[in-house]
């Protein structure tokens, strides 16, 4: 594949601008505890309308990459992970910041993130085409089953309560069926509102579920709490010796992160912890872990950023997003009328090459922006929520309105924001809801087309080897979910029984 | 104050009612293609799925303890913010002038959230300056860079 063919200067300049914007927002939102990756991506998504497809996709991918590193900034500087993915970095990052220097800890984090980002990008570049070629052999029944297993995995591995996560999935699928049915041209569940004839606006749904509900959560905490940090010794650089000493941990983290990223519903939260354990197991000095070990910082950071490339693989090659953040990035593809999947790789190689090249550029730019601006992002941590909340509200409103020009979408976002605020407190999964909503058209279309082609024969879903394999994976995931759920409830009941015995 | 169990049961009941409404509203849609399950099939089967899962969840809730009280910290602040957002939508859709209203919205919220710090001329000045800065940034960004008419 000739990645450098057909590059024109102006496209490079606009793509570079989009990448820098995405990285800036990603690092900032990743660094600010409570905000994070999904809100950053959600608030940037409306800008896609004013951009070309490559620029908007790269901006969102840059935001994703930047947020993965940004989460480590507050983990190291304050000891509070900016994102859930950065939690393992607190263990050694904070310790090194206290005992050696915050700049050195941030340097291990940045070098690890960059290494992981490049590793994940290479995995994406080298595996996307073979996977897509394989996917060309898949038919509607397999795509239907792949969509189902993706949702099942998110509910099983990515949520606290399986039943509530499944309710979220079903509600998301129902939300995805709102609008005109493409098979018959009949409107469904529109309530007579023309604004939803093309379906619910993904931006208003995502902003409502993630940004507004998070804002309401923030209102439940102290609004004027201001953090402070020591801005001295923030030079972010490593010597060659330090880099080589942590290289093995970076490779371990990157390999684990890339693999975990491919799996639907797992994501960087799990891969960071696995990478931490993996690097500790392979380290010559495991006793240093938890006491400011460079490997303990570099491995989870590399895993977090490698997850991005891994997570993009099933989306680009199969058209099936495996996480809520990728589902929102899918919004940029939808806005520009692009359908990801094997056909896109076959029919639009220029776009794919631009995405791959841009993805690698994103990682390199993240390195330089991280070196230059990490201190600025660390200073942003002292902004109290009393300023952040109104600013997020205004940018959310502008984002929603600019995506469709309908006040109706603003009300939908507010309603969903309030509902999500209550549902999140009861352990429902808004991530599963959004992913299901994005997957609903793929799942329904594949299901119905398979039945039309087979003249209503349901055996079409299990009569090919591919579908049998996926079906077995579905059954195994379901069995695992049930066992996990039963064990979880038993564990919950045990202390209660012990308490009543002691009484 | 309501317990978590009661809130859970209320939510299950509301979601079941919503699902029943979905089933009812798509029930009349016909099947037009041979072999196809029809426009109504997917929403119907999904809504039944929600009802069944809600029933499982409700049974689970009834069998478990009452749990902790369902508390919403700073409820007046949450409700007032929701009311402010709704008021802003109504006012914006009726009178336009987004940037002027955005400035007022930001200034009022900043001042309300920072009241515990202590009201002073300096605080009001800082709030006004930050609100003006954000509004001006949005004006420049959306009028001259992204070309969105608000």
């Amino acid at each position: 594949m000739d990645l450098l063919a057909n590059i024109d200067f102006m496209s490079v300049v606009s793509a570079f601008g989009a990448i820098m914007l995405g990285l800036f927002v990603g690092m900032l939102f990743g660094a600010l505890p409570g905000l994070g990756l999904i809100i950053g991506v959600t608030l940037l998504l409306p800008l896609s309308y004013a951009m070309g497809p490559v620029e908007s996709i790269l901006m969102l991918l840059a935001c994703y990459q930047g947020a993965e590193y940004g989460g480590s900034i507050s983990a190291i500087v304050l000891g509070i992970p900016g994102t859930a993915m950065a939690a393992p970095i607190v263990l050694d990052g904070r310790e090194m910041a206290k005992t050696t220097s915050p700049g050195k800890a941030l340097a291990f984090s940045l070098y690890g993130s960059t290494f992981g980002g490049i590793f994940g990008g290479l995995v994406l570049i080298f595996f996307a085409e073979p996977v897509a070629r394989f996917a060309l052999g898949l038919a509607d029944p397999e795509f239907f089953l792949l969509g189902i297993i993706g949702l099942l995995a998110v509910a099983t591995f990515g949520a606290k309560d399986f039943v509530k996560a499944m309710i979220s999935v079903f509600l998301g699928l129902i939300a995805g069926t709102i609008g005109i049915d493409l098979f018959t041209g009949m409107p469904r569940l529109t309530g007579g509102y023309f604004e939803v004839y093309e379906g619910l606006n993904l931006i208003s749904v995502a902003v409502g579920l993630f940004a507004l509900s998070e804002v309401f959560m923030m209102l439940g905490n102290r609004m004027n709490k201001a953090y402070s940090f020591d801005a001295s010794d923030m030079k972010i650089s490593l010597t060659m010796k330090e880099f080589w000493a942590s290289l093995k941990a970076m490779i371990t983290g990157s390999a684990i992160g890339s693999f975990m990223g491919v799996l639907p519903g797992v994501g960087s939260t799990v891969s960071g912890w696995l990478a931490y354990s993996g690097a500790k197991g392979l380290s010559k000095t495991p006793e240093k872990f938890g006491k400011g070990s460079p490997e303990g910082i570099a491995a989870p950071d590399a895993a977090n950023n490698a997850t991005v490339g891994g997570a993009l693989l099933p989306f680009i090659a199969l058209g099936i997003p495996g996480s809520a953040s990728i589902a929102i990035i899918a919004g940029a593809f939808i806005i520009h009328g692009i359908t990801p999947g094997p056909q896109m790789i076959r029919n639009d190689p220029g776009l794919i090459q631009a995405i791959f090249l841009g993805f690698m550029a994103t990682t390199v730019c993240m390195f330089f922006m991280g070196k230059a601006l990490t201190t600025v992002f660390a200073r942003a941590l002292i902004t109290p929520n009393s300023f952040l909340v109104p600013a997020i509200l205004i940018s959310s409103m502008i984002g929603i309105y600019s995506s469709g020009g309908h006040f109706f979408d603003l009300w939908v976002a507010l309603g969903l924001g309030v509902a999500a605020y209550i549902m999140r407190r009861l352990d429902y999964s808004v991530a599963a809801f959004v992913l299901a909503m994005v997957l609903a058209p793929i799942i329904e279309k594949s299901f119905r087309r398979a039945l039309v082609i087979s003249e209503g024969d349901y055996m079409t879903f299990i009569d090919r080897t591919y579908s049998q394999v996926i079906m077995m994976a579905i059954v195994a995931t379901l069995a695992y979910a049930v066992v996990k759920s039963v064990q979880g409830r038993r564990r919950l009941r045990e202390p209660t029984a012990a308490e009543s015995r002691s009484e | 104050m309501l317990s978590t169990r009661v809130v859970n049961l209320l939510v299950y009941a509301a979601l079941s009612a919503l699902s029943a409404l979905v089933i009812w509203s798509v029930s009349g849609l016909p099947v037009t293609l041979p072999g196809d399950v029809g426009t109504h099939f997917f929403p119907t089967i999904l809504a039944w799925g929600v009802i069944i899962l809600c029933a499982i969840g409700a049974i689970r809730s009834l069998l478990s303890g009452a749990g902790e009280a369902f508390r919403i910290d700073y409820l007046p602040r949450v409700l007032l913010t929701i009311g402010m957002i709704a008021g802003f939508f109504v006012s914006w859709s009726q009178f336009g002038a987004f940037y002027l209203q955005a400035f007022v919205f930001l200034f009022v919220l900043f001042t309300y959230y920072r009241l515990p710090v202590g009201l002073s001329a300096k605080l009001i000045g800082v709030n006004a300056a930050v609100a003006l800065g954000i509004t001006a940034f949005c004006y420049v960004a959306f009028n001259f860079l992204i070309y969105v008419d608000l």
Side-chain angles (χ1 to χ4, degrees):
Chain A
M1 196 188 314
D2 186 6
L3 286 175
L4 298 173
N6 306 320
I7 290 178
D8 87 90
F9 180 70
M10 282 318 290
S11 307
V12 171
V13 171
S14 59
F16 178 74
I19 287 172
M20 295 310 272
L21 175 66
L23 280 172
F24 187 87
V25 173
M27 284 192 199
L28 183 66
F29 276 66
L32 293 168
L35 296 183
L37 149 69
I38 294 186
I39 297 177
V41 173
T42 304
L43 292 182
L44 278 182
L45 181 58
L47 298 187
S48 296
Y49 284 98
M51 293 177 166
V54 174
E55 288 85 354
S56 63
I57 291 163
L58 290 181
M59 175 183 68
L60 299 180
L61 292 178
C63 183
Y64 195 161
Q65 289 265 33
E68 293 282 7
Y69 167 65
S72 309
I73 298 175
S74 51
I76 290 166
V77 172
L78 301 176
I80 302 165
T83 56
M85 298 85 85
I89 292 142
V90 175
L91 300 177
D92 287 280
R94 185 67 194 136
E95 201 55 36
M96 184 184 277
K98 282 195 277 191
T99 55
T100 312
S101 89
K104 196 56 84 183
L106 285 164
F108 279 110
S109 169
L110 181 62
Y111 281 67
S113 291
T114 308
F115 188 91
I118 290 173
F119 192 100
L122 291 174
V123 167
L124 176 68
I125 290 170
F126 286 113
F127 286 94
E129 237 180 59
V131 174
R133 224 177 294 126
F134 164 76
L136 283 170
L138 302 179
D140 284 315
E142 286 87 28
F143 277 103
F144 165 72
L145 294 172
L146 280 173
I148 296 294
I149 196 167
L151 293 177
L152 203 53
V154 169
T156 306
F157 304 114
K160 284 183 193 165
D161 185 318
F162 178 69
V163 171
K164 286 179 177 171
M166 282 309 293
I167 292 175
S168 311
V169 164
F170 277 69
L171 290 172
L173 287 170
I174 292 174
T177 64
I178 293 173
I180 291 187
D181 176 20
L182 291 177
F183 279 74
T184 60
M186 272 181 241
R188 272 188 309 199
L189 304 170
T190 58
Y193 291 100
F194 76 90
E195 290 93 341
V196 291
Y197 271 36
E198 287 182 21
L200 283 173
N201 180 344
L202 178 64
I203 293 170
S204 68
V205 172
V207 169
L209 292 180
F210 293 109
L212 295 188
S213 71
E214 189 58 49
V215 159
F216 301 146
M217 293 278 203
M218 287 160 92
L219 291 172
N221 298 317
R222 281 177 58 201
M223 293 289 283
N224 292 295
K225 186 177 177 185
Y227 297 105
S228 61
F229 81 102
D230 180 11
S232 62
D233 208 0
M234 290 286 283
K235 190 172 175 239
I236 295 159
S237 67
L238 291 185
T239 61
M240 279 309 281
K241 195 180 162 193
E242 287 168 331
F243 177 76
W244 286 114
S246 58
L247 184 62
K248 192 168 82 177
M250 289 184 201
I251 295 171
T252 309
S254 301
I256 291 173
S258 305
F259 177 71
M260 298 307 282
V262 175
L263 302 178
V266 181
S268 39
T269 313
V270 178
S271 66
W273 285 111
L274 280 180
Y276 187 84
S277 315
K280 192 177 178 182
L282 293 172
S283 173
K284 286 178 188 165
T285 52
E287 71 283 355
K288 285 189 182 169
F289 275 70
K291 295 170 189 161
S293 162
E295 293 171 292
I297 305 168
D301 252 315
N304 287 346
N305 281 76
T307 308
V308 183
L312 277 173
L313 183 59
F315 174 60
I316 298 272
L318 303 172
I320 308 234
S323 67
S325 34
I326 295 288
I328 295 166
I329 291 173
F333 286 76
I334 296 166
I335 285 167
H336 291 288
I338 303 165
T339 309
Q343 302 295 345
M344 178 181 76
I345 291 189
R346 193 173 60 177
N347 302 334
D348 204 347
L351 176 70
I352 291 298
Q353 285 165 14
I355 292 173
F356 288 168
L357 202 62
F359 186 82
M360 298 307 270
T362 293
T363 314
V364 176
C365 290
M366 180 185 74
F367 178 76
F368 289 109
M369 188 181 270
K371 271 185 98 86
L373 296 181
T374 294
T375 313
V376 175
F377 296 122
R379 282 187 196 284
L381 295 173
I382 61 175
T383 312
N385 286 350
S386 51
F387 281 121
L388 282 178
V389 163
I392 293 168
L393 286 175
I394 278 293
S395 49
S396 301
M397 290 174 201
I398 295 175
I400 297 166
Y401 186 78
S402 62
S403 68
H406 302 305
F407 283 101
F408 177 86
D409 291 334
L410 290 166
W411 290 107
V412 168
L414 181 60
L416 286 174
V418 173
Y421 170 61
I422 297 166
M423 303 295 255
R424 281 175 67 178
R425 299 196 51 156
L426 294 170
D427 291 338
Y428 287 85
S429 168
V430 288
F433 181 98
V434 167
L435 185 61
M437 193 184 123
V438 171
L439 279 174
I442 301 170
I443 290 176
E444 185 183 14
K445 196 172 66 184
S446 311
F447 179 78
R448 289 172 67 182
R449 208 160 48 191
L451 280 178
V452 170
I453 292 168
S454 68
E455 295 176 340
D457 181 7
Y458 281 86
M459 291 306 285
T460 189
F461 293 103
I462 46 166
D463 66 1
R464 279 161 43 105
T465 313
Y466 292 141
S467 34
Q468 285 161 2
V469 171
I470 305 170
M471 192 62 104
M472 274 158 57
I474 289 175
V475 172
T477 311
L478 206 53
Y480 174 78
V482 172
V483 170
K484 190 179 143 195
S485 193
V486 169
Q487 280 178 343
R489 298 205 69 74
R490 201 172 290 162
R491 229 173 285 133
L492 271 177
R493 232 177 281 143
E494 270 163 14
T496 323
E499 278 162 25
S500 52
R501 268 199 304 276
S502 65
E503 280 167 16
Chain B
M1 191 169 287
L2 296 175
S3 69
T4 306
R5 177 166 67 178
V6 172
V7 178
N8 267 323
L9 290 171
L10 287 172
V11 170
Y12 289 136
L15 292 178
S16 300
L18 187 72
S19 302
L21 191 67
V22 167
I23 294 168
W24 172 78
S25 67
V26 297
S27 59
L29 298 173
V31 178
T32 51
L33 286 170
D36 186 24
V37 285
T39 305
H40 68 285
F41 179 82
F42 232 69
T44 306
I45 206 153
L46 293 168
W48 274 113
V50 173
I51 291 170
I52 291 165
L53 286 165
C54 283
I56 295 169
I59 293 166
R60 240 176 29 167
S61 285
L62 289 169
L63 292 176
S64 64
E68 299 163 357
F70 185 78
R71 280 184 49 190
I72 295 181
D73 294 328
Y74 300 102
L75 182 62
R77 187 158 74 192
V78 176
L79 292 177
L80 199 113
T81 304
I82 293 168
M84 282 282 295
I85 298 170
F88 181 77
F89 289 172
V90 172
S91 178
W92 179 18
S93 59
Q94 291 299 312
F95 307 113
F98 172 80
Y99 293 105
L100 179 65
Q101 299 207 47
F103 169 76
V104 174
F105 177 78
L106 286 169
F107 175 72
V108 171
L109 280 186
F110 286 152
T111 308
Y112 171 60
Y113 294 151
R114 299 188 75 210
L115 274 180
V117 179
L119 201 58
S120 65
K122 188 187 166 197
L123 181 127
I124 290 174
V126 169
N127 293 350
V130 177
L132 190 65
I134 293 173
T135 312
F137 173 78
C138 292
Y139 179 77
V140 171
F142 287 92
N143 275 282
F144 300 111
L145 298 175
I146 307 169
Y147 307 112
V148 173
D149 188 18
L150 293 166

